[in-house]
Amino acid sequence: METLKDKIQVLRDQFAQAVAEVRDQQALQELRNLYLSRKNGHLTRLFESMKALDPEQKPAAGQELNAIKRHVQAELDRLENKLRAPSRSGPDIDLTLPGRVSYWGSPHPVLHIKERIEQIFLRMGFSIEDGPEMETDFYNFEALNFPPHHPARDDWDTLYIDDDLLLRTHTSPVQIRVMEKRKPPIRMINPGKVFRKETPDPTHLPMFFQVEGLVVDHGITFAHLKGTLECFLKALYHERIKIRFRPSFFPFTEPSAEVDIGCTVCNGGGEECRVCKGTGWLEILGAGMVDPQVFKNVNIDPEEYSGFAFGMGIERTAMFSLQIPDLRYFYENDLRFIRQFSKK
Ligand SMILES: [Zn+2]
């Protein structure tokens, strides 16, 4: 009996050592055969050696042998589970980390504001027109009342492609193209990209979006211009936004006005406000009555028709309505910035 006990203890030690060395399924199978094989397994041989014992010794020996057999089987099963799913118990997964979130796509903030502006004008019965981004000198300047050496041309740092072709500096050429093709009444807006030779800084970009509008019909007055823009700005910002018109100059309108809104950041009360620089007002639109000379350039009789036009920068508008301090953020493609404006 003593010998059998010793043998079992030796076997238990050997088995523990062998288990620690198993690294894959094949080694595990070999170990299983070595101990449990019906023909020659270590345990099978111990069970056979029991036959030689005295009958009174057999029950105790049987218990010992069954115990070691259960131990070996349990250890081999545990090892098999571990090898099948190594990552579950390995150190490579940290279950305390938050899960991965997939983000919903959404329109870029500039396109989102552009769409809002379009929706407001569509509701007022305007059409949306489009035109080429590469223009001729005629459409970009001459037809809009800038003669070749007009000093107002200096206001735009133009990117010329050759002597006659250029990247449009404003979207106004689209209005000329529409008036050439279509007789009044005209009610249109023309949003699109424009280009200027600017070094990017917090308030300037070499490429940005503009939206301009044009209304031409019998009997259009400055009152129509004021009413339309007030209606638009209240719809874009809010019903109680403050609006003011200041006299200004553009070659293609007469009279002309700059349109300001009350500062959306400090609401007119902040002497140290960085957005309005303490003035309480933000310059948002340029507008005016279409100059009779522009009508003559496109064969519309200024004695019969009158009209108004206006224009605004979309990034600038987005800057004020989203309270963003630097225009360059819009085009740095930093997802941390852009995702702030995605609708969940
Ligand atoms: Zn302000």
Side-chain angles (χ1 to χ4, degrees):
M1 180 66 201
E2 206 55 39
T3 17
L4 186 63
K5 248 189 175 171
D6 289 347
K7 279 182 187 167
I8 287 172
Q9 191 50 50
V10 170
L11 197 72
R12 196 183 272 271
D13 293 346
Q14 281 174 350
F15 178 71
Q17 216 175 342
V19 162
E21 282 164 14
V22 169
R23 293 282 174 272
D24 55 32
Q25 290 285 358
Q26 200 191 336
L28 176 69
Q29 192 52 45
E30 281 166 12
L31 190 64
R32 198 183 283 278
N33 286 339
L34 188 64
Y35 281 79
L36 296 176
S37 158
R38 290 222 176 122
K39 272 189 181 167
N40 241 341
H42 291 330
L43 280 169
T44 319
R45 286 219 301 265
L46 277 185
F47 272 102
E48 273 168 11
S49 72
M50 212 172 72
K51 287 177 190 161
L53 294 176
D54 295 337
E56 64 269 22
Q57 288 175 323
K58 279 184 184 173
Q63 274 181 9
E64 297 265 359
L65 279 171
N66 277 324
I68 177 81
K69 192 180 177 185
R70 278 197 304 273
H71 169 72
V72 166
Q73 270 170 341
E75 276 294 284
L76 291 173
D77 288 349
R78 186 186 62 79
L79 204 55
E80 186 166 359
N81 280 336
K82 189 177 155 189
L83 288 174
R84 244 190 232 145
S87 56
R88 222 183 295 160
S89 54
D92 6 24
I93 283 193
D94 181 354
L95 295 174
T96 64
L97 286 174
R100 290 197 184 111
V101 179
S102 47
Y103 288 91
W104 292 88
S106 64
H108 187 281
V110 168
L111 290 185
H112 177 63
I113 296 280
K114 175 173 163 273
E115 273 168 26
R116 268 181 60 199
I117 293 170
E118 288 172 355
Q119 288 306 317
I120 295 167
F121 281 106
L122 282 173
R123 288 205 297 271
M124 290 198 277
F126 283 62
S127 64
I128 296 175
E129 307 292 342
D130 202 2
E133 290 172 1
M134 193 161 81
E135 271 295 0
T136 62
D137 186 89
F138 174 78
Y139 284 105
N140 197 74
F141 291 123
E142 215 175 311
L144 288 154
N145 222 12
F146 298 85
H149 301 290
H150 193 290
R153 286 192 178 202
D154 294 341
D155 288 352
W156 284 280
D157 283 354
T158 310
L159 290 154
Y160 280 94
I161 289 158
D162 58 29
D163 285 347
D164 189 42
L165 282 177
L166 49 88
L167 294 179
R168 67 181 182 191
T169 54
H170 47 181
T171 51
S172 318
V174 183
Q175 304 185 355
I176 300 297
R177 289 176 179 276
V178 170
M179 284 191 287
E180 277 180 342
K181 272 186 290 186
R182 209 187 294 163
K183 288 294 145 202
I186 293 169
R187 262 189 293 181
M188 58 169 274
I189 57 164
N190 44 301
K193 280 181 205 158
V194 301
F195 307 85
R196 299 199 187 157
K197 215 192 303 167
E198 303 263 22
T199 307
D201 70 25
T203 52
H204 296 90
L205 292 169
M207 186 287 293
F208 58 96
F209 279 87
Q210 221 180 31
V211 57
E212 291 189 324
L214 173 72
V215 172
V216 185
D217 205 346
H218 294 287
I220 297 292
T221 69
F222 201 91
H224 294 113
L225 160 66
K226 245 188 124 179
T228 305
L229 291 184
E230 276 183 11
C231 179
F232 162 66
L233 290 172
K234 283 178 178 178
L236 186 63
Y237 291 96
H238 55 82
E239 196 55 38
R240 287 194 304 278
I241 190 99
K242 286 191 287 180
I243 300 163
R244 76 174 183 189
F245 288 72
R246 280 183 294 118
S248 184
F249 170 77
F250 302 108
F252 34 79
T253 48
E254 177 62 36
S256 305
E258 301 272 3
V259 185
D260 299 339
I261 54 169
C263 179
T264 51
V265 175
C266 68
N267 219 358
E271 278 180 17
E272 284 162 24
C273 176
R274 277 164 58 196
V275 177
C276 66
K277 300 191 178 70
T279 62
W281 293 97
L282 302 172
E283 201 182 300
I284 188 119
L285 278 152
M289 302 305 290
V290 179
D291 193 294
Q293 185 58 46
V294 174
F295 281 141
K296 284 179 197 160
N297 293 345
V298 291
N299 291 322
I300 290 178
D301 181 1
E303 298 298 323
E304 192 184 348
Y305 291 104
S306 57
F308 67 81
F310 55 88
M312 66 200 288
I314 295 180
E315 284 82 355
R316 215 173 133 71
T317 308
M319 189 182 184
F320 297 147
S321 65
L322 303 171
Q323 307 193 351
I324 292 157
D326 192 325
L327 281 180
R328 292 173 295 186
Y329 291 156
F330 286 125
Y331 296 108
E332 281 172 349
N333 291 334
D334 186 337
L335 288 176
R336 291 170 303 177
F337 171 76
I338 291 174
R339 280 182 180 147
Q340 293 177 64
F341 310 104
S342 67
K343 286 172 285 177
K344 295 277 153 51

